[in-house]
Amino acid sequence: MLPAPPQPGMTQRALVGGFLRAAVDPEGNYSAARAFLASGATWNTSVGITTYNQAGLVLTRVGTNQVQMRADEVGTISTRGDFVSTPRTLSRRFTMVKQAGQWRISRLPPGVLLATADAQRSLELETVYYLNSTGDSLVPDPILVSPDQPGAATTLIQALLAGPPAPLSGAVMTAVPTGTRLLGNVPVSADGVAEVNLSVLLHPISTQTLHRLAAQIVWTLDSVPDVASVQLLVDGDALVAPGFPRLQTTRTWASYDPDQPITLPGLLYVRRGRVRGLGGTVPASLTGRTGLAAPVLDSSGDSVAALTHRGADLQLLTGSTSGRLHVQVTARAITAPSFDRAGDLMVADRSVLGSQLIEFPAHGKAMVLAAPTSLLERGVSALALSPDGARVAMIVGQPDAGNVVIGLLGHVRGRPGIVGVRPVLPAGSDPEGLAWNGANELVTTTSVGSRSRTVISTDTSGYNPHDLSVTPFPGQPVQVAAAPGRPTYAVASGRLYRLGGAGWRSLSTGIDPSYAG
């Protein structure tokens, strides 16, 4: 729907309301919204977008020629398209002047203001792909882009060639050679072939780097609706290399798929103090033992971790699936252990002073990770390593004021640590349980009002969380298990539920479900 232009006789408040609604159309640098401005008025739209809840919007006349806007702020969107949740009060003031007998806005704050519903209409959530630290898997970076010219395909490739922004650059890498440029736009033919014409600075590079670069480009363009395949060119000539087809799809570079289904079937859970398997077998090192909690396998099926009580404390146990388990950590509280696909293990232990994050690399010694003091002081009650090993999702803070954040595994003053921590769900959502349902999707449980809970899914930016329950959840869920290509499970009141087409189905008593890392 095209936004309505200014109407004769509009009041000051109506004029500001019309201006805000017209910002849904970015065409021509928001020419529809600029129609509400006085001649000579300046409006800087290049500083990003602030989204707000339309339901709480209040416009108040101040004095003779000003209107105060107040609303519940939802988040901010950078010029690159990065969304950050910023729940707070939004307050802006507009100054009016009469021109030819009609009110127009003469002074206004910089930036674009968009109601969340309008943002979802005018912006599309797309993904730029980088590489994990070992270069064998893609790492998604969600950004919001306008489908306006020069087009989503061009916008995404330009973002990819610009490289990962800080602090993401400290946790991922890119195969794009320094100085590489996009020549022209990215045209998409009628049969869906996107032509990506790159600068000559590509030469010379290794075959491995070329394959990684192609994987980043092809996967980045995969979400663009009109793109069926990609052709790479260098200075207008088709790129020819051994094992390098002219037209490429994500199947060409399937080995880099960040959402490859886990290979081990079934999941582990605990029932009546013993570890059980659902659709798979229980490792020998866990069979017959009682008092274990939060059991989890690594992706290879060779290593296992679990928690056990020792008096008033918890202990982290690790070992091989066929051997003995060894105590690694003893503390008042320890989060459920989490593996990434490389076999690295992470937990957070917790004391009255806060938390510390401990990583147990598949190859190497255990280390305490550096992390922001504000995060550690709030306390980490749950964590989940992303399959690519580049990110960790965490639930921090007290239950009634906790929220979900994501941090990047990078370096802090030369030592391994957590950087770039940003919120995914706002404080007060009361999250419990955390799992990765894909490279760019988290599943957790949150409060709905004051009396019920539900299971939700959200992308890693937190832009559009949604309820997974087809019907109200039959209980108060507090734990989840999820993995790419696998059913989602939840635990409520000591019962294990599985999500299917008809909703949640109760399976049996049980707690602490987990897929292999």
Side-chain angles (χ1 to χ4, degrees):
M1 295 177 61
L2 295 176
Q7 301 299 310
M10 289 185 98
T11 65
Q12 295 178 43
R13 289 172 53 197
L15 187 79
V16 172
F19 168 79
L20 295 174
R21 289 189 294 273
V24 70
D25 183 7
E27 185 80 25
N29 192 18
Y30 298 92
S31 60
R34 290 183 184 277
F36 291 78
L37 305 185
S39 59
T42 59
W43 178 31
N44 183 2
T45 60
S46 64
V47 297
I49 297 171
T50 300
T51 62
Y52 62 91
N53 187 346
Q54 174 72 37
L57 174 65
V58 177
L59 299 175
T60 306
R61 185 174 171 179
V62 180
T64 59
N65 65 338
Q66 289 189 330
V67 170
Q68 181 83 23
M69 169 202 177
R70 289 188 180 275
D72 294 327
E73 184 172 321
V74 176
T76 59
I77 303 169
S78 71
T79 54
R80 181 178 176 272
D82 301 299
F83 175 83
V84 177
S85 174
T86 55
R88 57 193 174 195
T89 299
L90 174 67
S91 178
R92 298 288 189 271
R93 184 166 291 194
F94 300 82
T95 301
M96 312 289 160
V97 65
K98 272 197 172 182
Q99 289 186 341
Q102 304 296 323
W103 287 111
R104 292 294 183 264
I105 300 171
S106 61
R107 191 164 56 205
L108 69 166
V112 177
L113 301 168
L114 273 183
T116 51
D118 288 340
Q120 291 168 5
R121 279 193 289 268
S122 61
L123 299 172
E124 296 176 353
L125 190 63
E126 306 287 1
T127 305
V128 176
Y129 286 92
Y130 301 104
L131 294 156
N132 64 356
S133 59
T134 56
D136 58 4
S137 179
L138 293 168
V139 178
D141 179 31
I143 63 173
L144 289 158
V145 302
S146 170
D148 195 11
Q149 296 297 323
T154 301
T155 301
L156 290 172
I157 294 301
Q158 288 173 338
L160 174 63
L161 298 185
L168 186 63
S169 57
V172 301
M173 66 179 190
T174 180
V176 177
T178 302
T180 300
R181 295 179 296 112
L182 176 66
L183 302 179
N185 292 333
V186 179
V188 182
S189 67
D191 55 352
V193 178
E195 289 188 349
V196 180
N197 191 7
L198 301 176
S199 68
V200 75
L201 294 178
L202 276 170
H203 297 292
I205 63 175
S206 68
T207 299
Q208 183 186 61
T209 300
L210 183 59
H211 287 183
R212 289 173 173 174
L213 172 61
Q216 286 184 253
I217 291 173
V218 172
W219 276 89
T220 294
L221 292 179
D222 181 59
S223 62
V224 180
D226 296 334
V227 175
S229 61
V230 178
Q231 181 177 17
L232 298 184
L233 302 94
V234 176
D235 288 335
D237 296 325
L239 182 57
V240 179
F244 205 80
R246 185 180 73 87
L247 298 182
Q248 304 171 39
T249 68
T250 54
R251 291 189 298 274
T252 310
W253 309 110
S255 61
Y256 292 91
D257 185 354
D259 282 327
Q260 292 186 32
I262 57 176
T263 56
L264 294 178
L267 79 164
L268 299 178
Y269 69 104
V270 176
R271 185 173 68 189
R272 297 173 184 170
R274 294 181 181 271
V275 179
R276 310 283 183 173
L278 189 63
T281 58
V282 177
S285 56
L286 301 180
T287 302
R289 296 192 58 154
T290 59
L292 294 181
V296 63
L297 279 167
D298 76 337
S299 60
S300 69
D302 296 330
S303 300
V304 68
L307 302 178
T308 189
H309 286 277
R310 180 177 177 84
D313 292 330
L314 278 175
Q315 291 184 325
L316 171 67
L317 306 176
T318 66
S320 70
T321 53
S322 58
R324 296 181 58 187
L325 300 180
H326 305 278
V327 177
Q328 299 288 356
V329 178
T330 300
R332 284 183 53 189
I334 304 175
T335 62
S338 177
F339 282 107
D340 63 20
R341 285 186 178 169
D344 301 324
L345 177 71
M346 185 181 292
V347 298
D349 65 16
R350 194 169 183 178
S351 68
V352 292
L353 300 178
S355 294
Q356 65 176 359
L357 299 167
I358 310 173
E359 184 177 28
F360 300 86
H363 306 286
K365 296 182 179 179
M367 65 185 87
V368 176
L369 300 178
T373 302
S374 57
L375 182 147
L376 299 178
E377 288 179 345
R378 291 185 65 199
V380 179
S381 59
L383 62 77
L385 273 171
S386 63
D388 52 52
R391 299 156 293 165
V392 57
M394 295 168 282
I395 296 177
V396 297
Q398 297 299 318
D400 57 347
N403 67 316
V404 175
V405 302
I406 286 183
L408 304 168
L409 276 73
H411 286 81
V412 179
R413 293 185 291 275
R415 58 177 283 208
I418 307 296
V419 298
V421 176
R422 58 182 178 81
V424 176
L425 294 180
S429 51
D430 192 16
E432 291 189 58
L434 198 58
W436 290 83
N437 199 33
N440 194 33
E441 183 181 1
L442 289 169
V443 174
T444 185
T445 75
T446 62
S447 293
V448 181
S450 59
R451 296 187 177 182
S452 64
R453 300 183 61 81
T454 191
V455 182
I456 70 163
S457 172
T458 178
D459 67 86
T460 53
S461 72
Y463 179 65
N464 189 24
H466 60 277
D467 197 329
L468 285 181
S469 304
V470 179
T471 57
F473 196 95
Q476 304 292 315
V478 292
Q479 293 179 328
V480 290
R486 302 291 186 182
T488 297
Y489 290 83
V491 171
S493 302
R495 293 199 64 82
L496 189 63
Y497 294 81
R498 181 172 61 202
L499 180 61
W504 294 95
R505 176 189 173 193
S506 176
L507 299 179
S508 70
T509 57
I511 59 173
D512 296 349
S514 72
Y515 285 106

